[in-house]
């Protein structure tokens, strides 16, 4: 009786198993390590500076108030902002303060005297079941939900863990041949 394990069958099986293993390893590495983002602009000062490099991960199932997210804000590049309002909440911007469901929130990540004013006349936002209210930490220089309104969960691409290491790279121009730096 002839065995079904011919050299051709064994070779194909080994290649298939190796391919599945490699794809699984790549998928796990991507999920665990995330991706690297470079902060552009000053909307997240003083916590994230221009040219800071941070590790971003896919968003967890549920976002928390204070989480830093990378989102598609409808402009050319993705934006980095902080989650302030959660689904189903009412956000009110009043006298430079942020109130959630008529209660003043504490924002320890902001400078002490930071005031939050609406970018438009409307300062009252009622969030839907899959909507978040996001703002930059540099409230005076940030285009965020005060301008374009609440963002849907489908717009949020990644989260930036607060404990993730950050590095800053300064622009550098290499000297021409023969010149000293």
């Amino acid at each position: 009786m002839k065995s079904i394990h011919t050299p051709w069958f064994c070779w194909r099986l080994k290649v298939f198993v190796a391919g599945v293993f490699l794809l699984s390893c790549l998928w796990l590495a991507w999920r665990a390590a995330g991706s690297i983002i470079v902060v552009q602009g000053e909307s997240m000062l003083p916590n994230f500076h221009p040219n800071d490099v941070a590790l971003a991960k896919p968003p967890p199932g549920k976002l928390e108030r204070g989480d830093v997210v990378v989102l598609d804000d409808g402009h050319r590049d993705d934006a980095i902002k902080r989650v302030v309002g959660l689904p189903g909440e009412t956000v009110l911007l009043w006298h430079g303060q942020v109130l959630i469901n008529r209660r003043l929130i504490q924002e320890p990540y902001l400078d002490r005297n930071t005031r939050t004013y609406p970018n438009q006349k409307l300062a009252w936002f009622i969030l839907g079941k899959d909507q978040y209210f996001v703002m930059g930490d540099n409230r005076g220089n940030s285009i965020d939900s005060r301008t374009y309104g609440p963002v849907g969960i489908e717009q949020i691409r990644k989260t930036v863990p607060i404990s993730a290491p950050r590095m800053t790279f300064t622009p550098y121009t290499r000297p021409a041949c023969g010149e000293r730096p």
Side-chain angles (χ1 to χ4, degrees):
M1 183 166 195
K2 199 170 190 178
S3 171
I4 63 167
H5 297 291
T6 62
W8 176 81
F9 177 78
C10 289
W11 179 81
R12 277 193 146 182
L13 181 62
K14 288 178 184 177
V15 168
F16 176 75
V17 169
V20 168
F21 178 74
L22 180 63
L23 287 175
S24 299
C25 289
L26 289 173
W27 182 80
L28 283 173
W30 178 78
R31 292 291 292 179
S35 60
I36 295 174
I37 61 161
V38 177
V39 177
Q40 296 177 352
E42 299 177 348
S43 72
M44 288 299 287
L45 286 172
N47 298 307
F48 292 89
H49 295 84
N51 297 320
D52 274 1
V53 177
L55 184 66
K57 292 186 167 197
K62 183 179 177 186
L63 295 172
E64 304 279 328
R65 189 179 331 279
D67 284 351
V68 177
V69 296
V70 177
L71 62 112
D72 176 10
D73 63 353
H75 293 87
R76 190 183 60 173
D77 293 326
D78 287 346
I80 181 171
K81 303 291 177 195
R82 190 174 300 271
V83 174
V84 176
L86 301 173
E89 294 181 334
T90 300
V91 179
L92 172 64
L93 305 178
W94 182 68
H95 290 285
Q97 302 292 323
V98 179
L99 289 88
I100 304 290
N101 296 336
R102 298 182 359 198
R103 291 197 162 158
L104 181 66
I105 64 167
Q106 300 299 317
E107 298 183 276
Y109 40 82
L110 296 180
D111 283 341
R112 184 179 175 112
N113 295 320
T114 300
R115 309 300 277 169
T116 303
Y117 294 104
N119 289 349
Q120 299 176 353
K121 292 185 187 260
L122 180 64
W124 189 278
F125 301 89
I126 299 171
L127 306 179
K129 69 175 186 154
D130 289 328
Q131 291 183 323
Y132 293 88
F133 195 83
V134 296
M135 287 193 279
D137 291 348
N138 185 2
R139 301 287 165 84
N141 188 20
S142 177
I143 297 174
D144 47 39
S145 286
R146 294 173 293 169
T147 302
Y148 48 73
V151 296
I153 187 67
E154 70 280 352
Q155 292 174 265
I156 297 175
R157 306 273 192 245
K158 299 175 177 120
T159 59
V160 179
I162 302 303
S163 61
R166 292 195 322 256
M167 301 171 282
T168 301
F169 291 95
T170 55
Y172 177 76
T173 305
R174 196 177 75 133
C177 270
E179 290 183 19
R180 292 179 101 53

